[in-house]
Structures are given as C-alpha cells and as structure tokens.
Amino acid sequence: SFKVLLKAMVLTAISLNYWLILFALVLYICTLMAQTFFATEFHFHDPDSFDYVTNRGEFWCAGTEGLDISYRQDCIPRANFDTFLWALVTIFQIMTGENWNTVMYAGMRSGGPGFCLLFVLLIMFGQTLFLSLFLSMLMSKFDHVRDSLNQEIDRQ
C-alpha cells in the first residue's frame, strides 16, 4: 500500500547518510582523477561526430580569439573534463548510465583505448556497487516496514 511505500522511503532516506558520504567521496575522487588525466582533451573539430581532435591542451577552441566566451567553446562537447563542475557532471552521468557510451567514444577518440580503464572503474564501482547497494538498502527497508506493519495489524 501507499503507507508502506512512504514509510519505506522515509526510512531509506534516513539510513542513507553513510551511503551518501561514501558515494560523494568516490564521485569526488573519480572526478579529480578524470580531470587530472583528461582535462582539455575533448576538443574536436565537430563535437557531434568526434571526427578529429583539435587544439589539444588548450582551454579554448582554435581560431576563436577575440570572440565572446560563449562562442569559444564550440569545439567542446557538453560532457567533458575541463572544469571541476563539468567533470563532476560527466562522472555522475557515467555512473548513472546516462549516455555513457558517447563519453566513452569521445574519450577513446581523444585519449586512445586506455580511456576504457576509467570506464571499467566507473561502471564497476558506480553502477554495479553503489547503485546495487542503494537498491538493496531500499528493498531491505521495504521488507522491514512491511513486517512491522503486519505485526502492528496482528496486534490489533
């Protein structure tokens, strides 16, 4: 019933404090690691097709000197590791499985096949370990709430 669902969600949210700390720590470490290795590497001639890398190691696109700052990023795809904020968003995107393959192909195009090691790490720890741990905690709280409500009904 809705009462079981609501109570299980509240109990899960209360018990997630250590999980959130661990998840934030792994997210932070992976963001710093990815930013160290792959910052300013995702600069492509066409960011939609990842045809070839241009201006590697520079913060802005080649040939955009004198333009407004918003036009100097046309060669950089949205998922990149240039700044901490975008690196954090990109790592979270990979960990949740949302369009991770596009980021992997862009990384392999710019950094070579060694970029796959980051994806193996992120998918093993991000998707498998953390999301499975979250779901197992949620399911255990559902069982706990259902059992406690059944005991409460039996007492009445």
Side-chain angles (χ1 to χ4, degrees), residues 26-40:
V26 168
L27 189 66
Y28 180 73
I29 290 170
C30 289
T31 300
L32 290 179
M33 180 182 66
Q35 194 175 13
T36 301
F37 293 126
F38 303 111
T40 67

Side-chain angles (χ1 to χ4, degrees), residues 6 8 47 68 78 89 101 124 132:
L6 190 59
D68 186 56
R78 182 171 294 186
V89 169
N101 54 342
M124 281 178 55
S132 296

Side-chain angles (χ1 to χ4, degrees), residues 6-24:
L6 190 59
K7 195 170 183 181
M9 287 172 55
V10 168
L11 287 175
T12 303
I14 291 170
S15 66
L16 281 180
N17 52 0
Y18 293 120
W19 182 86
L20 285 174
I21 291 170
L22 186 61
F23 184 71

